[in-house]
Amino acid sequence: MSATVEHPAVVGKLSTLDRLLPVWIGAAMAVGLVLGRVVPGLGDALSAVEIDGISLPIALGLLIMMYPVLAKVRYDSLDAVTGDRRLMAGSLVLNWVIGPALMFALAWLLLPDLPEYRTGLIIVGLARCIAMVIIWNDLACGDREAAAVLVALNSIFQVVMFAVLGWFYLSVLPGWLGLEQTSIHTSPWQIAKSVLIFLGIPLVAGFLTRRLGEKARGRDWYESRLLPRVGPWALYGLLFTIVILFALQGHQITSRPWDVVRIAVPLLAYFAIMWGGGYLYGRLVGLGYERTTTLAFTAAGNNFELAIAVAIATYGATSGQALAGVVGPLIEVPVLVGLVYVSLALRKRFTPIDTAASAGVGR
């Protein structure tokens, strides 16, 4: 996938694939919804084979989607990211303190009469993004190395904290506040398997591709010749994943439109607040454009694959909790695509000097 969607002046030079990204994503969502409604037994066929609770076609789409972007990461520059305490602290607080608390508050505030959807949204808020955020960050010309580090950090915390935070936000905190309590059943090993499959495989593949490619032909060849050929597959994988995901859940989404609207309202507020909070923090502490953008998208994105898998495993495939997880990407995908363009429009507000200084090196 190209990361060149930078400024209106260069839009005309982009490939049709990149320039019309919102159109392709909207079309993929529509195609998936239609297929899910008009092709009998399609959902059962797509779900017949699963990897860690995720449909095999979706799993393949996610792996194809993530590999090209991770192949672009300059792994020898990661130490410049891990030493940025402002970035690391901001990510931890936004993802693991503010994010879950905000989704809990929005779910109870806006869905007090719908406990199943409320629980599903809280689960979404606990599942921090480790997949699609890499795509949004790359399109918005964020810091690839920072994205790789923050996604890895989220993965570690996800394994350790997901079940603990689920117990706290669904059982302990509601009890303290005199609200209805529920429960969640998952294990750190279940989370770890998801992380190892959907992040570990493309991460290792991307690292080895760069290492072996640069060793054989040099960095200039790798970045100017090989990456342009590999890059578009990230978008192909994204579009394929969206089609399959919405084909699987098309009936649920189209048969309960008002419920989808009710679930969408807190999600819209959540994405806007989290992205805006990350952007504001980055501006205040002087992270520069690339790392501010990376922080904002990693804060706003969620791991809907994990949320859906946990909801289905705990409450069933036809439950309201599962539907809330499914509506997550229905809202997240177009909203974060829109925020990619908002980010690019705001890029001119950052001075090149500040941006280069925040990264430690020129990109």
Side-chain angles (χ1 to χ4, degrees):
M1 179 182 299
S2 169
T4 56
V5 192
E6 301 184 17
H7 190 275
V10 301
V11 168
K13 301 179 182 178
L14 298 177
S15 69
T16 301
L17 194 66
D18 281 340
R19 188 167 62 251
L20 299 180
L21 176 64
V23 175
W24 305 136
I25 287 180
M29 294 169 68
V31 168
L33 290 173
V34 171
L35 286 175
R37 291 288 293 185
V38 303
V39 180
L42 178 62
D44 292 338
L46 293 173
S47 300
V49 181
E50 296 184 342
I51 294 180
D52 197 36
I54 301 295
S55 167
L56 178 60
I58 290 183
L60 292 176
L62 290 171
L63 295 176
I64 293 170
M65 175 185 74
M66 294 178 67
Y67 161 69
V69 182
L70 289 170
K72 294 178 181 180
V73 172
R74 292 182 176 179
Y75 292 93
D76 56 0
S77 301
L78 295 184
D79 57 341
V81 178
T82 56
D84 191 337
R85 295 182 180 179
R86 298 167 302 171
L87 177 67
M88 304 294 281
S91 178
L92 286 174
V93 171
L94 283 166
N95 277 287
W96 296 102
V97 179
I98 296 176
L102 176 63
M103 189 68 91
F104 175 87
L106 289 171
W108 272 101
L109 179 65
L110 298 174
L111 300 174
D113 57 327
L114 297 171
E116 290 190 358
Y117 299 153
R118 185 176 64 236
T119 298
L121 285 183
I122 292 172
I123 293 173
V124 170
L126 299 176
R128 312 314 301 168
C129 197
I130 64 170
M132 281 194 178
V133 68
I134 295 176
I135 300 292
W136 312 135
N137 176 75
D138 203 47
L139 285 169
C141 302
D143 188 317
R144 291 187 192 122
E145 287 70 42
V149 170
L150 296 186
V151 163
L153 189 66
N154 274 348
S155 300
I156 294 170
F157 268 74
Q158 202 146 243
V159 172
V160 175
M161 296 301 297
F162 186 92
V164 174
L165 289 174
W167 166 73
F168 177 76
Y169 279 106
L170 293 174
S171 182
V172 176
L173 186 56
W176 289 351
L177 300 175
L179 303 172
E180 180 182 350
Q181 296 172 279
T182 183
S183 61
I184 184 173
H185 303 292
T186 188
S187 69
W189 173 235
Q190 287 176 303
I191 313 294
K193 284 195 297 180
S194 176
V195 170
L196 288 172
I197 292 170
F198 298 115
L199 176 62
I201 292 175
L203 181 62
V204 171
F207 173 79
L208 290 177
T209 300
R210 176 172 280 278
R211 184 175 180 84
L212 296 177
E214 289 189 354
K215 184 176 180 180
R217 305 290 294 272
R219 174 163 290 187
D220 181 67
W221 173 87
Y222 182 83
E223 296 190 344
S224 65
R225 301 292 296 277
L226 181 61
L227 287 184
R229 295 181 181 180
V230 173
W233 282 94
L235 186 51
Y236 302 150
L238 172 65
L239 296 176
F240 175 78
T241 301
I242 291 171
V243 169
I244 300 301
L245 178 67
F246 286 97
L248 280 169
Q249 304 296 338
H251 179 75
Q252 284 203 73
I253 291 172
T254 56
S255 63
R256 292 190 267 181
W258 178 241
D259 288 356
V260 170
V261 172
R262 289 289 305 274
I263 296 168
V265 173
L267 283 170
L268 285 169
Y270 173 84
F271 293 135
I273 293 170
M274 290 300 294
W275 186 89
Y279 217 89
L280 178 61
Y281 173 84
R283 286 287 287 169
L284 289 175
V285 303
L287 288 180
Y289 174 78
E290 293 182 340
R291 289 190 179 172
T292 293
T293 296
T294 300
L295 180 63
F297 279 101
T298 52
N302 290 89
N303 185 354
F304 66 82
E305 307 90 11
L306 174 60
I308 293 171
V310 169
I312 290 174
T314 303
Y315 304 103
T318 60
S319 65
Q321 291 88 343
L323 178 61
V326 169
V327 174
L330 175 68
I331 306 303
E332 180 184 53
V333 169
V335 168
L336 293 191
V337 168
L339 289 174
V340 166
Y341 288 91
V342 172
S343 292
L344 295 171
L346 293 173
R347 192 176 191 181
K348 60 187 176 183
R349 297 180 178 273
F350 292 81
T351 66
I353 294 175
D354 290 342
T355 298
S358 73
V361 293
R363 283 180 63 83

